[in-house]
Amino acid sequence: MSLLALWLDVLVPLLVTVLLARAAWAALAVEASARWLLRSAPAHQDPGGGDAVPWFVVLVPMLREQDVAAESIAAFTALDYPAGQAAVVVITTEREHSARTEQRHRLPKLAALPVLTAAHLRGLFPARRCPVVAQLVNAAPPDGQLALLTDLFDTEPSTADIVTELASQPTRHLPLVHVHQDDVGGRKAGQLNWALDRLPDILGPLGWHEGADGDDTFVLVYDADAVPDTRALTALADAASINRAGTGRTPALIQQQRLPLLARRAFPTGPVGLLLAGEWAYQLRRSLGIELARLLFHQQITRSRLPGPARTALRPMVYAVGCGMAVHLPALRTLAGFPEPMEDLGTGHRLSLLGADLVPSAALVLDEPYTDTTGLANLHALAFAASARPDRHARAIAHLPSTLSSQAKAVLVLREWLDEAVWLLGAPVLAAAVASAWWAGPLWAEVAAVGVLLHGPVTTARLLALVPALHRGVRPPSGTELPPRTRPVHPIALVAASPLQPFVRLAGPWRLLWAKTAGRRSDFGKTER
């Protein structure tokens, strides 16, 4: 058999069948997950005063978050939960000040540019301030642009300045504690671990003691730009109680579902805006069809009476999400804190490999979609780097007791490697198979067409229809308003272009691999939206 015959007679039919099966699974997973969220959300009740409830330590790391710091603190300190059983800890970092000091030498060069753009100011000012600063400097006389830019730079308050002032004021409900990290390097995980290492000192004045309260404490991580549901802590406590009642164990991880539905900033116009809107829809599909679907499936597999080999074959690797991720404090101590470079993916991988109880919560948390291509590419590269080496996570927890056999751990690692290979190669290989399907036979051309339509336009159109109900499912904390939801400017174009979106997600990983091959240092920067 020639290579051409092998491709057309064997590989193309196999690949287009895989495409159709994958598209059908994704559509079903999105639908089932969305229905579960919409059906379960009204079940949350206000916390009872008489029943014992767990402690929640809400950690909110901030870096260049001047624009949202006050709004974020107002929302998180207004969460509906007994005030003596929760606290909000905001973690700022000296890295922000150090970076500003290092960047100051760039100001003369930037002021000399014919036209200063927001992209030039990235990293010097908060993301939402960059367009305003660029406009002010461009409008100034040429001989005064450097002085104006320097004055704007020097008078821009740091996140720590803003949080320090807010921490001195009364909060709406839950107590607020401000912790400032030294410039010790690292990323978001480093800020979180800085607070974890000082938890007894941070919470001691509030009456919390790890010896007495640690076994019933969850560490809850949010992004600074997120808007939580006011019932979030109650819903998480409910999820823990239900799992204990059903299994006799406290879950190691309770995951809220993060949905990128906040429209604080509009997508750019033109092809770039269409690309970013497509990525927004793809992220929404991933949130429902992969992240939540895997949690629900993991929960079913864990509680099932299937034979061990069947559970080994079916058990998924769970992706934790670092916005709405509640980790049981004893489990976090066992893991020695949050792993770098991505605290959420690493935590999910390690707890999955330990066979821990991982459960979903139906309380949603909203955040912003990416409206900048650089931040989006950084996100994809960083996520690929964190996911591509599950063997490192397996080695990191090899000395810890696990409910999984060595064979079950190996299957999880191999499956994750397969997922990463599909990420890198799946889109171009499947595209080649779809393009060749007609020459493989009319039947396979029809299978390919159905697979493409179901994977792209059909599922994307369904996601757009679900967005209003999902957005309405969030009840913002008292005294805060729910920001408007994300709306694509050209929904028909978005649906039509959806089959091309998997190729967009290749840019970050392939750029990372190219940099490594060329021996260049990979510096992701902050993945700002």
Side-chain angles (χ1 to χ4, degrees):
M1 180 182 290
S2 67
L3 289 178
L4 180 60
L6 176 65
W7 172 252
L8 292 177
D9 296 340
V10 178
L11 294 180
V12 168
L14 175 63
L15 288 169
V16 296
T17 301
V18 168
L19 171 62
L20 179 58
R22 190 177 178 89
W25 171 259
L28 290 173
V30 165
E31 188 68 29
S33 297
R35 287 177 179 271
W36 182 84
L37 285 172
L38 295 173
R39 181 179 67 250
S40 304
H44 304 314
Q45 304 295 327
D46 292 334
D51 297 334
V53 292
W55 246 95
F56 284 101
V57 185
V58 180
L59 298 185
V60 187
M62 292 190 180
L63 173 67
R64 293 199 304 273
E65 300 289 3
Q66 294 96 317
D67 288 338
V68 299
E71 178 185 347
S72 174
I73 288 172
F76 288 116
T77 56
L79 290 174
D80 187 13
Y81 202 70
Q85 293 295 119
V88 178
V89 181
V90 173
I91 312 148
T92 56
T93 176
E94 191 64 17
R95 286 188 290 122
E96 180 177 320
H97 182 266
S98 299
R100 285 174 57 83
T101 303
E102 293 173 4
Q103 296 277 18
R104 200 174 190 280
H105 73 277
R106 295 176 52 200
L107 298 182
K109 184 177 179 179
L110 292 173
L113 291 172
V115 178
L116 185 64
T117 67
H120 293 134
L121 298 173
R122 186 180 182 86
L124 279 77
F125 293 88
R128 281 191 280 178
R129 279 275 292 159
C130 291
V132 177
V133 173
Q135 185 178 12
L136 290 172
V137 173
N138 288 329
D143 57 353
Q145 290 181 342
L146 176 58
L148 175 60
L149 180 59
T150 302
D151 182 62
L152 291 170
F153 184 81
D154 290 340
T155 57
E156 183 75 33
S158 69
T159 309
D161 294 335
I162 294 172
V163 177
T164 298
E165 181 179 352
L166 292 171
S168 66
Q169 303 170 8
T171 61
R172 293 180 177 176
H173 183 49
L174 300 180
L176 170 66
V177 181
H178 175 209
V179 180
H180 189 69
Q181 180 199 28
D182 294 340
D183 188 358
V184 293
R187 296 178 58 84
K188 180 179 175 182
Q191 287 178 257
L192 296 172
N193 290 332
W194 181 270
L196 280 178
D197 292 343
R198 292 155 180 79
L199 213 53
D201 296 330
I202 294 171
L203 299 181
L206 302 178
W208 182 89
H209 302 285
E210 188 156 357
D213 303 308
D215 286 343
D216 206 21
T217 296
F218 286 88
V219 177
L220 177 55
V221 180
Y222 282 110
D223 288 339
D225 61 353
V227 173
D229 191 303
T230 189
R231 304 160 292 181
L233 302 186
T234 305
L236 292 167
D238 288 346
S241 176
I242 291 169
N243 194 78
R244 277 194 297 264
T247 67
R249 299 182 299 270
T250 299
L253 171 75
I254 312 172
Q255 181 68 61
Q256 283 185 263
Q257 203 50 45
R258 176 198 65 87
L259 298 180
L261 299 181
L262 295 185
R264 288 192 176 105
R265 287 176 289 176
F267 293 116
T269 58
V272 173
L274 181 62
L275 179 152
L276 290 167
E279 175 60 24
W280 160 72
Y282 209 85
Q283 285 187 9
L284 185 58
R285 177 165 71 172
R286 177 182 173 84
S287 294
L288 296 171
I290 296 180
E291 292 163 1
L292 178 54
R294 286 194 181 192
L295 269 169
L296 293 169
F297 191 55
H298 171 91
Q299 193 174 37
Q300 293 298 321
I301 293 296
T302 301
R303 297 179 179 180
S304 73
R305 297 183 178 180
L306 290 172
R311 281 185 292 181
T312 296
L314 294 173
R315 181 182 286 109
M317 181 77 88
V318 170
Y319 298 136
V321 183
C323 185
M325 172 177 68
V327 188
H328 192 214
L329 181 59
L332 200 50
R333 296 296 194 203
T334 300
L335 296 180
F338 294 101
E340 293 274 11
M342 291 191 80
E343 78 296 337
D344 47 5
L345 287 177
T347 299
H349 283 184
R350 295 183 183 193
L351 291 176
S352 294
L353 290 163
L354 289 175
D357 285 81
L358 315 174
V359 301
S361 167
L364 296 172
V365 55
L366 304 184
D367 69 359
E368 300 178 65
Y370 282 82
T371 57
D372 174 82
T373 55
T374 301
L376 182 61
N378 281 345
L379 169 72
H380 290 159
L382 186 56
F384 180 81
S387 300
R389 296 300 305 272
D391 56 310
R392 291 180 177 173
H393 296 301
R395 287 197 298 270
I397 55 91
H399 64 288
L400 299 174
S402 173
T403 63
L404 302 186
S405 66
S406 57
Q407 291 83 0
K409 293 179 185 177
V411 168
L412 283 176
V413 170
L414 290 172
R415 187 179 290 126
E416 188 63 17
W417 275 334
L418 178 61
D419 282 348
E420 300 310 299
V422 169
W423 186 352
L424 282 179
L425 304 173
V429 170
L430 288 173
V434 169
S436 307
W438 178 256
W439 288 275
L443 172 63
W444 302 117
E446 292 175 6
V447 171
V450 173
V452 170
L453 289 173
L454 184 58
H455 193 273
V458 172
T459 303
T460 301
R462 179 57 181 154
L463 283 167
L464 296 181
L466 288 168
V467 163
L470 291 170
H471 185 265
R472 288 195 304 269
V474 175
R475 184 187 301 170
S478 176
T480 64
E481 294 184 359
L482 188 63
R485 63 178 171 87
T486 307
R487 298 172 187 266
V489 178
H490 302 292
I492 295 176
L494 174 61
V495 170
S498 57
L500 302 176
Q501 200 59 33
F503 291 92
V504 175
R505 302 178 69 84
L506 297 178
W510 278 110
R511 188 183 71 169
L512 170 67
L513 292 175
W514 178 257
K516 287 184 175 293
T517 303
R520 295 197 301 270
R521 180 175 178 268
S522 300
D523 187 7
F524 301 106
K526 182 185 177 185
T527 56
E528 289 179 301
R529 297 183 178 85

